[in-house]
């Protein structure tokens, strides 16, 4: 199949964007998961761009948690060359319940995509052209047991094992589907899941048991998810390779830029700074002088990185500030955070408690929006800081720091 000459049918797209993404807390305390930025764009923007690139211009977005942020950012879709209709899921009762909300708007074959995944136009094209009326876009991955695994026999899905809970390799359910309107009859009879909600995988499994053929389409395109907040770093690395970098801002004499580095309009890279891509720097940022930014880093709009500070493999959201002589590695820094001078975020193996479960990971810190930290703060690996926490100068922090906390040394 030659995807470059693909003739795409007139399909409608449905984006499921109602949930919070609780396991990405505390970053989702102030925004839904679909609005978490990777490569300086929200997850859902990549979904919309992938649909638009395949000439899927009529898009229905099911919203719920923090819906205003989604609607304010994407509006009617005209800036993304699509037409968006918003449908509200008042009660967050699962993905099957969310999709059923779209029934009055769809009377032909359509696509369903989770708004909180990173996906490219190739993956969407493969789904569009896949044979069969009911298709699951799938991916070959080794994973930690947090995804649905497909059991395939003679080219058909025979079973969906939801979140086996142990590391394994397999064919994963990406959460992207192609359906005909007949799926709505199955959705009306959706079984309740162990979580007490109505979910698409359980509904599809019920369809399979009733004799409906469901086919997998293994993608060769880009697909990634972020189960936990630190998974954003991997998705960010992939996203940085999806856009063509441009130098739109100013670069002072003596600054060194190597590899693919994007510098947004109005930003300034000051003398002596050293940048190695892939990097994306948003608009109206102030970097340096003598700052070091190393690969797989995104810096949001109106952010500032002070002199002699080093940042690597990290995400800084809009309006974040880092003072001078600081070191930040493998971390996510939320919007409007302020970190003082000589702040050090260590990185390494750690165990983190999320939603009552202990997860082993390797990262520096996850710092939610509007956090302030004074000078000479030391953050141990696996530090998670809630929204609007205040960390005093000279403090050493680790573990979970709750929302609105005050930490003094």
């Amino acid at each position: 199949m030659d995807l470059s000459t693909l003739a795409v049918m007139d399909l409608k797209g449905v984006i499921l964007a109602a949930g919070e993404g609780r396991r990405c807390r505390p970053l989702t305390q102030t925004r839904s998961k679909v609005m978490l930025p990777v490569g300086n764009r929200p997850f859902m923007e990549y979904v919309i761009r992938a649909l638009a690139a395949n000439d899927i211009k009529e898009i229905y977005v099911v919203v719920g948690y923090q819906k205003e942020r989604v609607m304010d950012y994407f509006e009617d879709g005209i800036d993304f060359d699509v037409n968006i209709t918003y449908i509200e899921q008042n009660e967050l009762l699962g993905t099957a319940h969310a999709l059923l909300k779209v029934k009055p708007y769809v009377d032909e074959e359509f696509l369903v995509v989770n708004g909180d995944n990173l996906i490219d136009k190739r993956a969407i094209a493969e789904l569009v052209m896949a044979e069969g009326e009911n298709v699951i876009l799938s991916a070959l991955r080794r994973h930690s047991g947090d995804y649905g695994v497909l059991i395939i026999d003679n080219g058909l899905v025979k079973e969906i094992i939801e979140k086996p809970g142990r590391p394994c390799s397999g064919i994963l359910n990406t959460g992207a589907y192609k359906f005909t309107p007949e799926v709505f009859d199955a959705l009306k009879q959706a079984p309740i899941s162990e979580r007490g909600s109505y979910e698409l995988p359980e509904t599809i499994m019920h369809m399979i048991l009733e004799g409906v053929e469901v086919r997998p389409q293994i993608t060769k395109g880009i697909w990634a998810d972020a189960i936990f907040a630190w998974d954003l770093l991997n998705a960010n690395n992939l996203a940085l390779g999806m856009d063509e970098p441009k130098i739109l801002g100013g670069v002072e004499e003596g600054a060194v830029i190597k590899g693919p580095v994007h510098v947004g309009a109005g930003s300034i890279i000051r003398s002596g700074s050293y940048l190695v891509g892939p990097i994306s720097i948003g608009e109206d940022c102030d970097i340096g002088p003598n700052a070091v930014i190393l690969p797989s880093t995104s810096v949001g709009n109106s952010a500032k990185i002070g002199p002699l500070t080093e940042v690597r493999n990290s995400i800084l959201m809009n309006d974040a500030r880092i003072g001078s002589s600081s070191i930040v590695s493998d971390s996510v820094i939320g919007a409007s955070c302020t970190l003082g001078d000589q702040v050090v975020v260590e990185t390494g193996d750690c165990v983190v408690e999320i939603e009552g479960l202990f997860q082993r990971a390797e990262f520096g810190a996850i710092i939610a929006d509007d956090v302030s930290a004074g000078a000479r703060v030391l953050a141990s690996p696996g530090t998670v800081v809630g929204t609007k926490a205040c960390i005093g100068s000279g403090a050493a922090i680790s573990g979970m720091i709750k929302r609105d906390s005050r930490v003094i040394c």
Side-chain angles (χ1 to χ4, degrees):
M1 178 173 59
D2 183 0
L3 299 179
S4 64
T5 59
L6 189 61
V8 178
M9 298 169 285
D10 184 19
L11 292 174
K12 294 179 179 178
V14 175
I15 299 176
L16 303 180
E20 174 188 344
R22 293 175 62 90
R23 287 185 289 181
C24 282
R25 287 186 177 182
L27 299 178
T28 54
Q29 289 175 336
T30 48
R31 64 177 68 74
S32 61
K33 186 181 169 187
V34 302
M35 295 303 293
L36 289 175
V38 290
N40 272 340
R41 302 182 192 275
F43 267 123
M44 199 170 99
E45 184 171 339
Y46 293 95
V47 176
I48 290 175
R49 290 180 181 275
L51 291 170
N54 284 279
D55 206 32
I56 299 172
K57 302 299 181 71
E58 197 68 31
I59 297 176
Y60 299 92
V61 179
V62 183
V63 293
Y65 177 76
Q66 292 283 341
K67 63 181 180 181
E68 293 81 7
R69 278 202 178 219
V70 177
M71 297 167 72
D72 288 347
Y73 186 90
F74 293 102
E75 297 182 326
D76 60 3
I78 190 171
D79 290 341
F80 305 93
D81 196 28
V82 297
N83 179 52
I84 296 177
T85 299
Y86 296 98
I87 302 164
E88 186 172 1
Q89 184 186 20
N90 294 312
E91 296 180 277
L92 301 183
L93 297 178
T95 51
H97 179 265
L99 184 56
L100 191 56
K101 295 283 186 180
V102 183
K103 183 179 184 298
Y105 304 90
V106 176
D107 56 6
E108 56 191 353
E109 194 173 56
F110 64 101
L111 301 190
V112 181
V113 189
N114 284 331
D116 57 5
N117 288 178
L118 180 70
I119 196 167
D120 72 350
K121 62 182 180 181
R122 180 186 180 95
I124 294 295
E126 292 167 337
L127 182 58
V128 169
M129 296 303 293
E131 295 182 2
E133 293 185 340
N134 301 289
V135 181
I136 300 176
L137 186 71
S138 52
L140 293 172
R141 294 285 193 279
R142 177 167 178 79
H143 69 107
S144 59
D146 295 302
Y147 295 93
V149 177
L150 306 183
I151 305 301
I152 311 299
D153 184 30
N154 290 325
L156 296 176
V157 179
K158 293 300 181 182
E159 188 177 359
I160 304 174
I161 302 174
E162 269 298 284
K163 300 179 180 177
R166 55 182 175 80
C168 60
S169 297
I171 302 174
L172 306 189
N173 178 6
T174 68
Y177 311 92
K178 180 169 68 172
F179 291 127
T180 63
E182 282 70 28
V183 74
F184 293 116
D185 293 331
L187 292 172
K188 291 177 182 177
Q189 306 173 48
I192 193 165
S193 72
E194 293 179 357
R195 291 166 283 176
S197 57
Y198 301 92
E199 304 295 341
L200 268 173
E202 283 84 356
T203 303
I204 295 169
M205 193 62 228
H206 181 71
M207 292 166 60
I208 292 170
L209 294 174
E210 292 290 317
V212 177
E213 289 190 352
V214 178
R215 297 182 179 274
Q217 175 61 47
I218 298 176
T219 182
K220 296 180 180 177
I222 292 174
W223 173 81
D225 188 15
I227 295 292
F228 302 103
W230 52 87
D231 295 327
L232 289 171
L233 298 174
N234 177 62
N236 185 63
N237 181 47
L238 290 171
L240 287 170
M242 293 174 66
D243 287 328
E244 187 69 29
K246 298 178 181 178
I247 304 295
L248 303 175
V251 180
E252 290 185 349
E253 184 176 355
V256 176
I257 293 180
K258 295 184 176 181
V261 174
H262 177 88
V263 180
S267 292
I268 181 71
I269 311 300
R270 300 196 179 276
S271 178
S273 294
Y274 182 76
L275 281 64
V276 181
I279 292 170
S280 177
I281 294 174
E283 298 179 354
D284 301 316
C285 296
D286 192 338
I287 309 298
N290 300 308
V292 176
I293 304 180
L294 297 176
S296 302
T297 296
S298 294
V299 180
N301 296 335
S302 303
K304 180 177 175 59
I305 297 176
L308 301 171
T309 286
E310 177 181 310
V311 180
R312 69 170 70 211
N313 189 38
S314 294
I315 297 171
L316 275 64
M317 298 188 193
N318 294 345
D319 300 299
R321 301 283 192 274
I322 302 179
S324 65
S325 304
S326 295
I327 300 175
V328 175
S329 301
D330 305 320
S331 298
V332 181
I333 311 298
S336 301
C337 285
T338 301
L339 307 185
D341 298 337
Q342 300 178 44
V343 169
V344 175
V345 179
E346 297 180 326
T347 182
D349 291 329
C350 53
V351 175
V352 187
E353 183 181 1
I354 297 292
E355 293 295 296
L357 299 175
F358 290 92
Q359 302 291 330
R360 182 168 294 280
E362 184 175 350
F363 67 96
I366 306 296
I367 300 179
D369 294 354
D370 298 304
V371 169
S372 64
R376 304 180 309 283
V377 169
L378 174 64
S380 298
T383 298
V384 179
V385 183
T387 307
K388 294 184 179 180
C390 182
I391 314 299
S393 294
I397 56 176
S398 62
M400 179 69 71
I401 297 173
K402 294 183 178 180
R403 184 173 189 161
D404 295 313
S405 295
R406 298 292 181 268
V407 179
I408 58 175
C409 61

